[in-house]
Amino acid sequence: MLFFKQHWMTLTIGVALGALGIAWLAGFWQVVLGVVAVAAVAAILRRVLRSRRQAEAASVSVARPQRPKTRTEPEPTDTDALARLMLEQGRYALLLRPQIAANLPAKLLDQARQAFDDLMTIVPEGDVLVGRAKGDEEQTQSYSGNLVRVEAVYLDRYQVTNEEFQEFVNAGGYEQMPLWDPEIWPAVLDFVDQSGLPGPRYWRNGKFIEGEDRHPVVGVCWYEAAAYARWVGKRLPSDPEWIKAGAWPVPLPGAEPIQRRFPWGESMDQGRANLWGSGPEHVVPVEQYGPGASVGGCHQLIGNVWEWTSSRFGAWRAPSNQLVMDSAMRSLRGGAFDTYFDHQASCDYQSGDKAIARKHNIGFRCAVSFCDILSDDESFDPAENEVELEAAAAAGGEN
């Protein structure tokens, strides 16, 4: 074969000359036959040589060491790398689920617990008055409210920020259907930013406005807030939980608890909240207005942006002031930077909007049930299946 490879041109010319000689002796009509023969032989030789070269190239490729591929995400079996990624994304609450924490090394478990302690505060169990009405510009009838028992719950110290929600967008949260309520699946494609990419309404090109990383995320509907909460291993707080965090009831034996109208006391102090007339007339970073924090350390429960809760609008209202509302309406609490009336920016006041509303003054914060988080003294089974971590990372945990 090597001989043919090196001398194929000489052989081709020789065969061609021979064919032409035969054609000259035999007659003109056979010239065509000779030319066809030459072309056929040349084509066969080219095909043989091409196959030979491909075989040699393949053998060289197999023998040559392959360059390792660059890995941008951890392998599914690398639980430590997956846990570190989840910490970077702010999904520390997922890592503290008992069934997942059992598989984490002590260092990563401590990091998750430190993040949890820094960014969430506990609202202790107890009774809270919900739906009470006190005299204001719109209401003249006094109503003590419903006494509701609230189990212990953890609540975000701050409203969810743009940079935190960015992690959800970057991770493809808008494409992970298990995170979303089934009734909204057909409409998820409509939740886009100014450039048509998945994200909050006022973003552009899938990113928040530069310099607003610590501002509360706005322009997200109730369904977007709920999906994000599931992704990080949390949920939206209920109305009673939210009120208890702000009003901080003091129980009294044989009587209704004493609770604050505002997180700092009974009287409005506009210097403690970003409201109409006291603030810059736009949202501000979530750390501002520290003096307005609740007893438990929750910031901006009053002012800056309204906050979605898991409750329906119209629930917990006074019997004489019941509302028959569209079931798509969800509860809003706390007032915003453009809230004018003081009574609307109180722990007792409930507003509401359609669950698909994506407005400039509505954000949210998240909660975690006390029973869902590994306690400091809780033991766990070392034989727990590592699949729990992978499933939680993919689906955001259960609510």
Side-chain angles (χ1 to χ4, degrees), residues 142-263:
S142 178
Y143 169 63
S144 61
N146 303 292
L147 193 62
V148 179
R149 185 72 177 180
V150 173
E151 299 299 324
V153 63
Y154 296 101
L155 193 64
D156 284 347
R157 294 182 184 273
Y158 306 100
Q159 297 149 343
V160 174
T161 64
N162 282 315
E163 65 178 353
E164 290 170 335
F165 202 86
Q166 183 77 71
E167 295 289 348
F168 173 71
V169 174
N170 292 347
Y174 282 82
E175 288 79 44
Q176 299 179 34
M177 288 300 101
L179 298 173
W180 299 79
D181 291 72
E183 68 266 22
I184 203 62
W185 284 354
V188 173
L189 293 177
D190 295 329
F191 300 149
V192 295
D193 63 16
Q194 297 291 306
S195 57
L197 294 177
R201 178 180 178 183
Y202 302 102
W203 288 16
R204 184 173 292 277
N205 299 320
K207 299 179 180 179
F208 58 85
I209 298 175
E210 185 177 357
E212 296 186 357
D213 50 328
R214 296 301 297 168
H215 287 204
V217 62
V218 296
V220 291
C221 69
W222 184 90
Y223 291 104
E224 291 170 279
Y228 171 88
R230 294 188 184 100
W231 183 72
V232 295
K234 302 179 184 181
R235 59 176 174 79
L236 295 180
S238 66
D239 268 21
E241 291 169 340
W242 191 97
I243 295 171
K244 195 172 190 302
W248 206 262
V250 177
L252 295 177
E256 292 181 342
I258 300 175
Q259 58 189 58
R260 297 164 175 80
R261 193 181 182 197
F262 305 98

Side-chain angles (χ1 to χ4, degrees), residues 28-57:
F28 178 78
W29 63 272
Q30 291 185 346
V31 172
V32 176
L33 179 62
V35 173
V36 171
V38 171
V41 172
I44 292 172
L45 288 175
R46 284 196 299 270
R47 189 178 298 111
V48 170
L49 292 175
R50 187 182 302 111
S51 301
R52 179 65 176 175
R53 294 192 193 100
Q54 291 175 348
E56 292 176 352

